[in-house]
Amino acid sequence: MVQLTAGCCYRLSQASPDDEELFNGPHTVQFLSIKKVNAVNPGGVDRFRIIMSDGINFLQAMLATQLNGMVNDQTIGKHTIAVIEKLTCNYVQEKRLIIILALRVLETTAEKIGEPKPIIESADPPQNIPSVPTPAPVAASSSLKSSFQHQQSNNPAPPTRAGRGSIFPIEGLSPYQNNWTIKARVTQKSDIKTWSNARGEGKLFNVTLMDETGEIRGTGFNLAVDELYPKLEEGKVYYISKARVNLAKKKFSNLTNDYELSFERNTEVEECHEVTNLPMVKYHFVQLSGLEELPKDSICDVIAIVKEVAPLSEIISKQTSKAITKRELTLVDQSGYSVRITLWGKQAEQYNAEDSPVIAFKGVKVGDFGGRSLSMYSSSTMAVNPDIEECFALRGWFDSIGAAQSFQAHANTGGGMMSGFKRAEMRSIQEVKEAQLGQQDKADYFSMRGTIMHIKADNICYPACPTAGCSKKVIDVNGSWRCEKCNKSFDAPEYRYIMSLAVADWSGQAWLQGFNDVGVAVFGMPANDLVEIRDNNEAKFNVILHKANCTTYNFACRAKQDEYNGTMRTRYGISSISPLNYKEEAMALRDQLQSNWAR
DNA sequence: CCCCCCCC
């Protein structure tokens, strides 16, 4: 019978940030629940919240992202008994956040042990457990002598690790934390970029820093560029302290950290020469077939065989009118899908891998050209034939069977226009507006679920040419309906709907424009019938219009800007409307419940 | 303090 470490939850709930002994465990606990918490940036890495119990109390903790695999492959789940071998405590304002960094599973099929209770602040500690050890004093980390100033001053003494406090996990960094030192590998270093705008000019560079617990972006401006750009080398490991921790601007970051570092004048950077087992890169690969599930503009990692390499070419940026070199690679993987990825600038020019290599891409952008496409950011990395398991598997697969097979490209759904409702691409009205979809001189496509609040009653349909495929408006010329396009006249027009719907979801309201198919779906009758009702029985017409309200549909929409009366406006066109499909929805929810995060 | 990541 496994013995839980009674009292460890209470002790952790009282821990101070430097309580090393307590953080290194081991604590034998049982997981009462593991739940995925709100998704971060699209395509980002999941975060899992764990309720753990010591049999007496339970306590909430977060799983460090590098342990996500244990949830995904069901190594851990509800009622798993595990030994926590390392954790850290992060203080966000008044709240204490416990992050599990390392664990070992003891039992997976246990029953719930005991009747653990929540920890009530100010309550006495539970009885009959070992007393809480006194926290060790914080080791000072300020003895490091490697800031810019120190280097410039005449101080040749090499910094020593001995006087330093413990190394802080990147995962635990926050603006509320001071006196930290991280030990991290530079996994990516940008070129030096210069800018010049209304607010001034300058130069900057950034790096991606990684340890076992996570990644964080670091940026150096101006003086910090001169000082640190040559010092920080890609692939090397450094001790870094006294950088400023800022909120990351999610929009521009492809990392899953809420924060980023700004290198300041007194920031200390010192290379770590010891052998370390810090991983080189952490990947969260998606299969090429799975790209369809990711929203446009999300960021992902892929590993694939380069099946084709296009020659270097050049485009002119519409934004800057500058020429930019690019190169396109066609990637394939075991999912049977192929996708094109674009390399830019230096990466395009210097690409010279041969013989269908395996390449692992990290932090690439998902586009929707040709259904799905990929594009490198300057912060994206690519590793040719990396020394990882996934690479060996791909190599073996391709050399044995993959090379001879054909691949499925992602398709533009609905023949050029995205026409179908896609659950994975659902946006709220608020998101559509905030993301300014359709406002960049091009059409953007999205799916949404919304409820009709109001239908504009005037001009609900127009008299159209009955010729198949024409649908042009016809004009009443003395009782005869004339089509200019077909150069024909008809006894009667065929009415077609032209709809303006006020549609709302939980986040807001928008006007959607729809054509004949939308009207038929909403009213359940052709426009000719509705016109007849309108002209003969206005009360009945009003009832039909009214009854159509408060009905919820799945919409596929196209957002595009146009000019109207001299001003620009954004129009949302409905490319498909469908009633809610409860079975399909239930199945999708069932799949979510069965997925790893729901347990 | 940047934050552009391009084209078809």
Side-chain angles (χ1 to χ4, degrees):
Chain A
M1 178 72 189
V2 177
Q3 189 72 43
L4 301 185
T5 311
C8 71
C9 286
Y10 180 81
R11 285 164 59 187
L12 285 169
S13 77
Q14 304 296 312
S16 57
D18 52 305
D19 219 339
E20 278 309 302
E21 196 184 329
L22 191 56
F23 295 162
N24 288 326
H27 311 291
T28 305
V29 298
Q30 181 174 39
F31 299 148
L32 300 185
S33 92
I34 303 181
K35 283 242 162 77
K36 186 155 92 170
V37 293
N38 59 315
V40 280
N41 47 328
V45 179
D46 296 336
R47 297 304 312 260
F48 293 99
R49 178 192 294 137
I50 290 185
I51 309 289
M52 61 184 197
S53 155
D54 61 6
I56 296 171
N57 294 118
F58 59 81
L59 188 63
Q60 181 177 305
M62 298 299 294
L63 193 66
T65 48
Q66 88 269 14
L67 300 182
N68 281 5
M70 300 183 103
V71 183
N72 294 330
D73 65 15
Q74 312 197 0
T75 304
I76 57 173
K78 189 173 180 177
H79 292 169
T80 295
I81 298 171
V83 179
I84 309 293
E85 293 179 319
K86 191 163 175 56
L87 51 80
T88 185
C89 203
N90 185 4
Y91 292 79
V92 180
Q93 284 156 343
E94 294 301 295
K95 279 195 74 174
R96 184 186 314 254
L97 186 64
I98 288 167
I99 301 161
I100 300 173
L101 300 175
L103 65 88
R104 177 163 50 88
V105 172
L106 293 182
E107 257 185 58
T108 48
T109 53
E111 298 285 303
K112 183 176 160 191
I113 297 172
E115 280 300 326
K117 309 252 173 330
I119 293 164
I120 298 144
E121 284 301 321
S122 80
D124 290 333
Q127 299 301 304
N128 303 326
I129 56 162
S131 63
V132 181
T134 320
V138 192
S141 67
S142 53
S143 61
L144 187 55
K145 305 282 190 255
S146 173
S147 70
F148 307 167
Q149 291 141 327
H150 286 135
Q151 283 181 344
Q152 283 151 10
S153 75
N154 190 16
N155 188 345
T160 156
R161 300 259 54 77
R164 182 192 299 284
S166 64
I167 299 301
F168 211 82
I170 284 177
E171 185 86 23
L173 284 178
S174 79
Y176 314 103
Q177 207 81 51
N178 41 38
N179 250 345
W180 50 263
T181 298
I182 56 168
K183 178 179 171 182
R185 192 186 296 279
V186 174
T187 57
Q188 185 268 137
K189 183 171 89 163
S190 74
D191 294 335
I192 295 172
K193 290 174 267 189
T194 56
W195 82 88
S196 172
N197 60 26
R199 267 175 277 173
E201 55 186 55
K203 58 184 173 183
L204 74 121
F205 78 106
N206 29 54
V207 289
T208 304
L209 301 166
M210 184 186 66
D211 69 7
E212 302 93 335
T213 71
E215 292 170 290
I216 194 163
R217 192 162 96 131
T219 305
F221 291 97
N222 303 321
L223 269 179
V225 176
D226 302 335
E227 208 53 54
L228 294 179
Y229 189 81
K231 188 165 183 177
L232 288 166
E233 288 181 44
E234 220 167 82
K236 289 191 173 173
V237 176
Y238 299 86
Y239 295 102
I240 297 172
S241 60
K242 295 188 178 155
R244 198 168 59 188
V245 185
N246 295 323
L247 262 185
K249 286 164 198 160
K250 283 283 173 195
K251 201 179 165 191
F252 306 116
S253 174
N254 55 7
L255 303 181
T256 50
N257 203 311
D258 289 339
Y259 305 108
E260 58 186 30
L261 297 180
S262 176
F263 301 138
E264 307 293 317
R265 283 190 66 81
N266 62 336
T267 294
E268 297 169 351
V269 171
E270 181 205 344
E271 190 179 341
C272 168
H273 295 283
E274 303 143 38
V275 178
T276 105
N277 54 1
L278 285 189
M280 290 298 291
V281 203
K282 268 204 294 281
Y283 293 105
H284 306 275
F285 293 122
V286 291
Q287 291 218 306
L288 299 184
S289 59
L291 291 174
E292 246 163 285
E293 307 306 317
L294 297 179
K296 172 173 150 56
D297 296 333
S298 59
I299 284 163
C300 69
D301 304 345
V302 297
I303 185 163
I305 297 271
V306 179
K307 189 117 192 294
E308 283 166 45
V309 181
L312 198 65
S313 65
E314 201 175 81
I315 58 129
I316 306 294
S317 163
K318 279 181 184 166
Q319 298 266 328
T320 62
S321 305
K322 279 187 192 159
I324 302 139
T325 49
K326 69 157 194 172
R327 187 192 298 276
E328 246 160 34
L329 310 180
T330 303
L331 308 179
V332 299
D333 73 2
Q334 294 108 314
S335 71
Y337 270 77
S338 70
V339 73
R340 281 161 41 177
I341 184 165
T342 309
L343 276 48
W344 302 98
K346 229 187 269 176
Q347 270 171 323
E349 290 157 30
Q350 291 169 358
Y351 181 89
N352 63 355
E354 285 170 15
D355 299 331
S356 314
V358 173
I359 302 190
F361 293 90
K362 182 172 167 55
V364 295
K365 178 177 138 165
V366 177
D368 61 0
F369 187 74
R372 274 293 175 267
S373 58
L374 296 171
S375 175
M376 295 280 279
Y377 281 111
S378 63
S379 59
S380 309
T381 61
M382 47 184 278
V384 180
N385 296 319
D387 198 5
I388 56 176
E389 210 175 293
E390 291 92 337
C391 174
F392 309 140
L394 261 170
R395 181 84 270 150
W397 159 79
F398 190 75
D399 291 348
S400 56
I401 53 170
Q405 92 179 50
S406 61
F407 294 90
Q408 159 107 48
H410 287 279
N412 272 324
T413 21
M417 264 207 285
M418 297 251 289
S419 62
F421 171 79
K422 283 193 177 173
R423 203 172 190 285
E425 284 170 22
M426 269 218 280
R427 304 252 207 168
S428 70
I429 288 169
Q430 187 183 327
E431 280 175 321
V432 167
K433 291 179 178 172
E434 277 176 6
Q436 307 192 338
L437 294 188
Q439 294 178 40
Q440 266 80 252
D441 276 348
K442 66 176 175 68
D444 287 314
Y445 300 90
F446 62 93
S447 292
M448 62 164 283
R449 179 168 300 154
T451 303
I452 297 177
M453 308 305 286
H454 180 72
I455 300 172
K456 217 178 236 175
D458 47 340
N459 297 325
I460 201 166
C461 44
Y462 69 97
C465 173
T467 308
C470 176
S471 307
K472 271 275 172 204
K473 187 176 182 177
V474 290
I475 300 152
D476 186 359
V477 184
N478 305 324
S480 175
W481 297 86
R482 175 159 178 77
C483 175
E484 296 291 340
K485 189 185 170 202
C486 298
N487 198 18
K488 273 187 193 168
S489 289
F490 303 91
D491 292 341
E494 182 175 275
Y495 280 91
R496 292 178 68 83
Y497 291 105
I498 178 158
M499 310 268 291
S500 267
L501 309 178
V503 171
D505 68 7
W506 60 270
S507 72
Q509 181 179 287
W511 285 94
L512 308 185
Q513 317 302 322
F515 290 102
N516 203 48
D517 55 327
V518 173
V520 173
V522 167
F523 296 119
M525 64 178 85
N528 273 353
D529 294 8
L530 190 67
V531 167
E532 199 176 316
I533 294 168
R534 180 187 67 188
D535 294 348
N536 296 315
N537 187 343
E538 203 183 330
K540 190 177 173 190
F541 172 74
N542 286 335
V543 167
I544 290 170
L545 222 61
H546 188 74
K547 270 194 173 167
N549 289 339
C550 301
T551 317
T552 304
Y553 294 92
N554 289 331
F555 296 94
C557 298
R558 176 185 190 268
K560 178 99 171 73
Q561 212 170 41
D562 66 6
E563 199 181 299
Y564 184 73
N565 285 342
T567 51
M568 296 305 279
R569 60 176 186 176
T570 307
R571 305 259 288 172
Y572 305 113
I574 302 169
S575 45
S576 100
I577 178 170
S578 41
L580 298 190
N581 183 336
Y582 290 97
K583 184 179 171 191
E584 195 180 275
E585 187 67 17
M587 292 304 178
L589 292 172
R590 178 204 59 184
D591 290 346
Q592 285 190 14
L593 284 169
Q594 285 177 353
S595 74
N596 46 57
W597 64 265
R599 286 178 296 111

